[in-house]
Amino acid sequence: MKLFRKSHVALMDDGILPAPRDMTQDMLADIIQVEQGAYSHPWLMGNFVDSIISGYHMPVWFDGDDVLCYFVAMRGADEVHLLNFTVASAHQRQGLAQAMMRYLREWSVSRGVHSIWLEVRASNQRAIDLYLASGFVTDGVRPGYYPVHHGQREDAVVMSLNW
Ligand SMILES: CC(C)(COP(=O)(O)OP(=O)(O)OC[C@H]1O[C@@H](n2cnc3c(N)ncnc32)[C@H](O)[C@@H]1OP(=O)(O)O)[C@@H](O)C(=O)NCCC(=O)NCCS
C-alpha cells in the first residue's frame, strides 16, 4: 500500500495512519507545545509523565519532527477510557482525527475490550461531532466537571462507543 501526501501529512491511501511511536519523555516538550495550541486548559507536563509511568497507551504520529496527533488511553477490565485525543492545530480538518479514531477502535478490539468511553467539554462541539460521527452515543452529563476562566465551571458530556 503506498503512502501519499495529503497537505503535508503522510496518510495511507485508504485513510489509515502508519504505525505510531509510543510517547516518551523526550517528546514531551513538543507535545506540550501542541497541547497549548489546541486547548484552553491544556494538560501539564506532569499529566503526561504520570500517564507514561502508569503505562497508558500513548501513540504519537509524526511528520518528520512535527507532532501531528496523539491520544492517551487507559485500558480497564472491559473498557478503554480515552483521556486525551489531540490533533495539532496546524493539521486539523485533514481527517487525522477520524484516522486516529479508527486506530483506537482497532487497538481496543484487539485488546478484547467492548467499549470506549470519554468525557468532553459541553462547549467542544467539534469534538462532540467527531465522536457522534464515529458512532459514540451520549450517556450523560457531569455538571461543573471542568474549570473555565474566573472560577466558573463547565459540564462534561460523557460519551461511549460499545460493540
Ligand atoms: C476535535 C479534533 C480532534 C478534530 O480533529 P481533526 O483532525 O480536525 O478532525 P477530522 O479532520 O478527522 O474531522 C473529523 C470530523 O470532526 C468534525 N470537525 C473537525 N474539525 C471541525 C471544525 N473545525 N468544525 C466543525 N467540525 C469539525 C467534523 O465532523 C469532521 O468531519 P468533516 O471534516 O468530514 O466534516 C481537533 O479539532 C482537536 O484536536 N481539537 C483540540 C483538542 C480537542 O478538543 N480534543 C478533544 C478532547 S475531548
Side-chain angles (χ1 to χ4, degrees):
M1 206 176 286
K2 84 179 165 46
L3 284 169
F4 80 112
R5 312 290 282 182
K6 182 182 180 186
S7 179
H8 52 292
V9 174
L11 285 173
M12 303 299 274
D13 56 8
D14 53 2
I16 296 173
L17 288 164
R21 291 162 58 188
D22 288 329
M23 195 182 294
T24 51
Q25 300 215 15
D26 59 308
M27 298 175 188
L28 291 185
D30 292 332
I31 295 281
I32 291 295
Q33 274 203 323
V34 170
E35 191 75 10
Q36 289 175 346
Y39 293 97
S40 59
H41 292 72
W43 273 26
L44 304 175
M45 185 75 82
N47 300 118
F48 287 102
V49 171
D50 289 348
S51 297
I52 291 171
I53 291 169
S54 298
Y56 297 161
H57 187 44
M58 304 173 73
V60 187
W61 286 267
F62 286 87
D63 182 29
D65 291 335
D66 280 354
V67 174
L68 297 176
C69 54
Y70 52 86
F71 69 75
V72 178
M74 178 175 69
R75 183 184 156 193
D78 193 40
E79 63 186 18
V80 164
H81 185 184
L82 185 58
L83 300 169
N84 186 311
F85 189 86
T86 307
V87 176
S89 298
H91 301 289
Q92 293 177 7
R93 302 301 325 236
Q94 297 174 24
L96 281 172
Q98 286 168 339
M100 199 161 56
M101 187 55 73
R102 195 172 304 129
Y103 170 94
L104 169 63
R105 169 86 192 262
E106 286 169 8
W107 177 82
S108 301
V109 168
S110 75
R111 295 307 186 273
V113 303
H114 292 93
S115 71
I116 302 167
W117 70 277
L118 57 85
E119 291 111 352
V120 54
R121 284 180 184 268
S123 63
N124 193 349
Q125 198 58 49
R126 290 167 70 170
I128 291 171
D129 285 348
L130 166 75
Y131 299 137
L132 289 173
S134 304
F136 281 74
V137 294
T138 300
D139 295 321
V141 168
R142 295 195 209 285
Y145 184 77
Y146 289 111
V148 198
H149 297 297
H150 311 303
Q152 293 180 314
R153 310 286 301 181
E154 176 179 4
D155 296 349
V157 179
V158 181
M159 303 182 77
S160 66
L161 176 65
N162 303 280
W163 60 89

